[in-house]
Amino acid sequence: MKVAIVHEWLDSFAGSERVVEQLLAEWPEADLFVLCDFMPEAERGFLRGKAPRTSFIQRLPFARKHFRKYLGLMPIAIEQFDMSGYDLVLSSSHAVAKGVITGPGQLHVSYVHSPMRYAWDLQHQYLREAGMERGLKGLYTRHLLHKLRIWDRASALSPDVVLANSSYIAERIRKVWRRDSIVVHPPVDVERFALRAEKEGFYLTASRMVPYKRIELVAEAFRRMPDRRLVVVGDGANEARVREAAGGAPNIEFRGRVGTEELVRLTQAARAAVFAAEEDFGIATVEAQACGTPVIAFGKGGACDIVVAPPAERPTGLFFAEQSTEAIVAAVERFETLRFAPEDCRANAERFSHAAFRAKMRGIVEEARR
């Protein structure tokens, strides 16, 4: 069986690249296709020595730093890949990869991280944050996104099987593409985040500091709880706002960006991990659970697939119902009255292991080929 794996682009090793890594582990003989490849040499190990085949976007002016600005050309570029010699095509798609063209006798399974949010329900937020609500540039961008929506809906018919990385994304797929999908949670390196039963007295929030993560709400909540310690890990464009929300409170400690070993140590030691974002899935949530650390999370999005909340027999965390300081304070206070077993958290995380992901993917492909 000849296998092709199709991915949008390679420039950093993030969540979608973890999926590609495990697809290559399960189908090591596969050829890899990407629109462009600017992955740093130090991060290329997951490619297993493969040289990805790239599109014409790779050679366009200034593509190395600004390839995302060629979004309008990406549907055309993805359609130029010749898949005719492959029995199985696996696409890893958060934009256009699902639109690769296949024919009769070929099986196309598309793992969807999310439909293009900026082209659908987040268009107005995207234009607002980019300062393009008005003017000729804004008008052109609206036209481009309109065209992308038409292509996106049409190309969503291309895959034979659509997979969603969470129940939340499955609902978005149903809404914008009118297609059913199978939920296959993304792979998480639960072996690296080992169980530690002994916890220390601090709470942890670890994330890139970007607006949708809502870390400022967590910081403000702990400023109101001076008897409870919070460790904040990460940096980013929203850091000044987070620090302002913390107000210099002595119980809130900023660690900045830390290495993997230190992140693992902090996650293992934390009394609980706090997440205020509405995530498509939430790999950091699983990593916390793998360490035996309970999670306090906003009860919407991918976290609902991960955290086992009371009144379940073996809870691994709890949810708060709205993204507000008051809701986080109330959740922490409730957390203090409950008991969570580190072993239950770890067992819960095992559902998302590399091996579990590969077995699920192999099973879906074999079932679809019958």
Side-chain angles (χ1 to χ4, degrees), residues 291-302:
C291 292
T293 302
V295 167
I296 301 170
F298 177 48
K300 191 175 180 182

Side-chain angles (χ1 to χ4, degrees), residues 93-336:
S93 185
H94 53 71
V96 300
K98 72 177 189 316
V100 68
I101 296 173
T102 56
Q106 295 178 289
L107 175 62
H108 178 189
V109 178
S110 185
Y111 188 91
V112 179
H113 306 278
S114 177
M116 289 187 282
R117 283 174 166 264
Y118 42 85
W120 292 98
D121 51 310
L122 294 188
Q123 172 187 287
H124 300 291
Q125 178 181 328
Y126 166 76
L127 292 170
R128 184 167 57 252
E129 291 178 354
M132 293 189 294
E133 291 182 283
R134 297 180 177 82
L136 288 177
K137 192 173 182 180
L139 182 62
Y140 167 75
T141 303
R142 290 174 190 274
H143 173 74
L144 172 63
L145 294 176
H146 171 72
K147 292 291 187 182
L148 277 174
R149 278 192 294 276
I150 295 172
W151 179 88
D152 192 50
R153 175 72 68 81
S155 64
L157 299 174
S158 297
D160 300 290
V161 180
V162 176
L163 309 179
N165 76 350
S166 68
S167 301
Y168 178 62
I169 293 303
E171 180 58 33
R172 295 194 70 246
I173 289 170
R174 190 177 302 112
K175 175 70 175 179
V176 302
W177 295 344
R178 304 301 184 194
R179 285 206 63 170
D180 291 330
S181 57
I182 302 169
V183 175
V184 179
H185 298 118
V188 182
D189 189 358
V190 296
E191 298 308 315
R192 174 176 289 186
F193 288 79
L195 170 66
R196 174 180 160 180
E198 303 80 19
K199 302 299 178 182
E200 299 177 19
F202 68 90
Y203 291 80
L204 174 72
T205 186
S207 171
R208 291 177 297 116
M209 292 190 185
V210 292
Y212 89 92
K213 295 288 188 179
R214 307 307 305 272
I215 304 173
E216 73 280 358
L217 295 178
V218 181
E220 185 177 343
F222 277 83
R223 188 178 70 178
R224 298 185 186 183
M225 297 182 288
D227 56 332
R228 296 189 175 104
R229 182 180 165 213
L230 175 69
V231 174
V232 182
V233 170
D235 59 11
N238 215 40
E239 183 172 352
R241 186 177 178 188
V242 176
R243 287 183 177 273
E244 182 182 357
N251 62 312
I252 301 176
E253 178 183 355
F254 286 85
R255 292 287 185 92
R257 183 183 297 184
V258 301
T260 301
E261 288 186 9
E262 178 65 5
L263 176 60
V264 171
R265 189 193 70 77
L266 288 168
T267 307
Q268 290 173 326
R271 180 173 174 80
V274 185
F275 300 102
E278 181 180 334
E279 300 276 12
D280 293 340
F281 177 65
I283 286 175
T285 305
V286 179
E287 292 171 343
Q289 298 270 271
C291 292
T293 302
V295 167
I296 301 170
F298 177 48
K300 191 175 180 182
C304 296
D305 283 11
I306 302 169
V307 179
V308 180
E313 184 178 347
R314 294 183 174 179
T316 66
L318 51 82
F319 299 116
F320 50 92
E322 61 181 33
Q323 290 174 307
S324 70
T325 300
E326 293 76 15
I328 295 172
V329 170
V332 172
E333 290 177 346
R334 184 184 179 209
F335 174 86
E336 294 281 354

Side-chain angles (χ1 to χ4, degrees), residues 33-94:
F33 295 79
V34 297
L35 294 176
C36 52
D37 175 15
F38 300 114
M39 182 69 70
E41 196 62 38
E43 298 182 37
R44 301 186 70 84
F46 77 100
L47 295 175
R48 297 170 170 256
K50 289 188 180 293
R53 305 183 192 185
T54 58
S55 74
F56 65 82
I57 291 178
Q58 179 82 19
R59 300 178 293 279
L60 292 178
F62 313 110
R64 177 173 291 276
K65 290 187 176 181
H66 301 291
F67 63 86
R68 289 177 178 83
K69 293 184 178 179
Y70 291 116
L71 178 64
L73 296 175
M74 288 182 183
I76 298 172
I78 207 73
E79 292 173 352
Q80 303 314 303
F81 286 139
D82 183 2
M83 297 286 107
S84 59
Y86 296 95
D87 305 295
L88 170 64
V89 176
L90 299 164
S91 60
S92 163
S93 185
H94 53 71

